[in-house]
Amino acid sequence: MQTNQNNFNLKSFPILTKQKMAAFQHPQKTVASQYVAHKIAEKIREKQNVNQSCVLGLATGSSPVLVYKELIRLHHEKGLSFQNVVTFNLDEYCGLQKEDENSYHYFMNHQLFNHIDIPKENIHIPAGDLKEEEVQQFCLNYESLIEEHGGLDIQVLGIGRTGHIGFNEPGSGFDSVTRRVILDELTISDAANDFGGSENVPKQAITMGVKTILSAKKIFLMAWGAKKADILEESFCRPFSHDVPASFLQAHHNVELVLDNDAAFKMQ
Ligand code: F6R
């Protein structure tokens, strides 16, 4: 590897909640993203060496794009195989077909899956095109499938300005599992550009729950830019609250916050 793990300067700083959460901060999101990608690659190889699947929980949105880019590079240039990788995406908008350019299926295929050697049957993304009567069973099956695969080894997260992780909006329970949810107005307005106006943004989504996310063995939450600074402070520098679902991550034993300087500036 060109970039040695040791070149990454892991900086931990105490968070005001008294719950010390490991945080990696770097001025360039490219380098911070490489750090996450290399941790994922390490886990994939570790599992390959013992003939096991590596189960990844994946996110869409702008935050993980450079992680996926680095994983693709590692596949092409460093021989990283994804044959033993099983993925579960966090969420999908309701009412979108898989081919829709705004669907998370389309995003994942274009940003990652089309460029690596993951077996198609190992990819799981909540369906956006379910009939009303299919939703509940689909969600139950999604939870069971994760469990049958031995749980998530690594979960990759972004954070929404409402404090959502996945599409667990404020009010989501600590015990919530995969289900259909109503999107917050702020989340809809943040997605408006992609959809050519907030009136075109789906109002509902299917998302893994908070409990599903917290069941992962390791979690990386990434955030870039000053627009995430306030919600990061609310999530990780104050006691946890139902009003800020990301704050539930304080209860997890193995979370790393991966931030650029602008996102982190209120946390030091
Ligand atoms: C995406 C997801 C969301 C995003 C969050 C941040 O699958 O579950 O929680 O991670 O909205 O989005 P970006 O990264 O676009 O700022």
Side-chain angles (χ1 to χ4, degrees), residues 2 4 17 25 110 113 141 166 174 188 200 207 213 227 242 258:
Q2 293 296 317
N4 189 302
T17 54
Q25 187 189 328
H110 285 260
F113 297 142
N141 290 348
F174 192 79
I188 289 173
N200 302 321
T207 183
I213 292 169
K227 67 180 190 299
H242 280 85
V258 183

Side-chain angles (χ1 to χ4, degrees), residues 58-64 90-91 104 157-160 164-167 228:
L58 299 178
T60 60
S62 57
S63 305
L90 283 166
D91 41 22
Y104 286 169
L157 293 177
I159 181 171
H164 70 215
I165 45 174
F167 273 139
K228 298 287 172 79

Side-chain angles (χ1 to χ4, degrees), residues 40 44 56 58 67-77 79-87 108-120 122-123:
I40 293 172
I44 293 173
L56 301 178
L58 299 178
V67 174
Y68 299 153
K69 192 171 172 201
E70 178 66 2
L71 287 173
I72 293 167
R73 189 190 73 79
L74 292 174
H75 173 62
H76 289 305
E77 295 179 17
L80 176 67
S81 170
F82 291 78
Q83 286 286 327
N84 70 323
V85 173
V86 177
T87 62
M108 288 309 300
N109 287 335
H110 285 260
Q111 297 293 335
L112 182 63
F113 297 142
N114 288 350
H115 311 285
I116 57 175
D117 65 340
I118 185 169
K120 294 283 174 250
N122 290 5
I123 297 170

Side-chain angles (χ1 to χ4, degrees), residues 13-84:
F13 49 84
I15 307 288
L16 298 179
T17 54
K18 296 178 192 141
Q19 174 108 18
K20 290 191 178 180
M21 300 181 72
F24 171 78
Q25 187 189 328
H26 198 281
Q28 291 163 21
K29 64 181 178 182
T30 316
V31 178
S33 299
Q34 285 168 355
Y35 168 74
V36 176
H38 290 205
K39 288 286 182 189
I40 293 172
E42 216 173 83
K43 181 57 74 180
I44 293 173
R45 289 194 166 113
E46 182 191 310
K47 293 280 190 162
Q48 275 162 4
N49 290 338
V50 290
N51 251 337
Q52 288 180 0
S53 300
C54 181
V55 186
L56 301 178
L58 299 178
T60 60
S62 57
S63 305
V65 165
L66 293 172
V67 174
Y68 299 153
K69 192 171 172 201
E70 178 66 2
L71 287 173
I72 293 167
R73 189 190 73 79
L74 292 174
H75 173 62
H76 289 305
E77 295 179 17
K78 303 291 167 188
L80 176 67
S81 170
F82 291 78
Q83 286 286 327
N84 70 323

Side-chain angles (χ1 to χ4, degrees), residues 253-266:
H253 63 286
N254 199 1
V255 182
E256 250 177 82
L257 310 176
V258 183
L259 314 171
D260 65 6
N261 287 354
D262 289 343
F265 89 96
K266 293 199 166 180

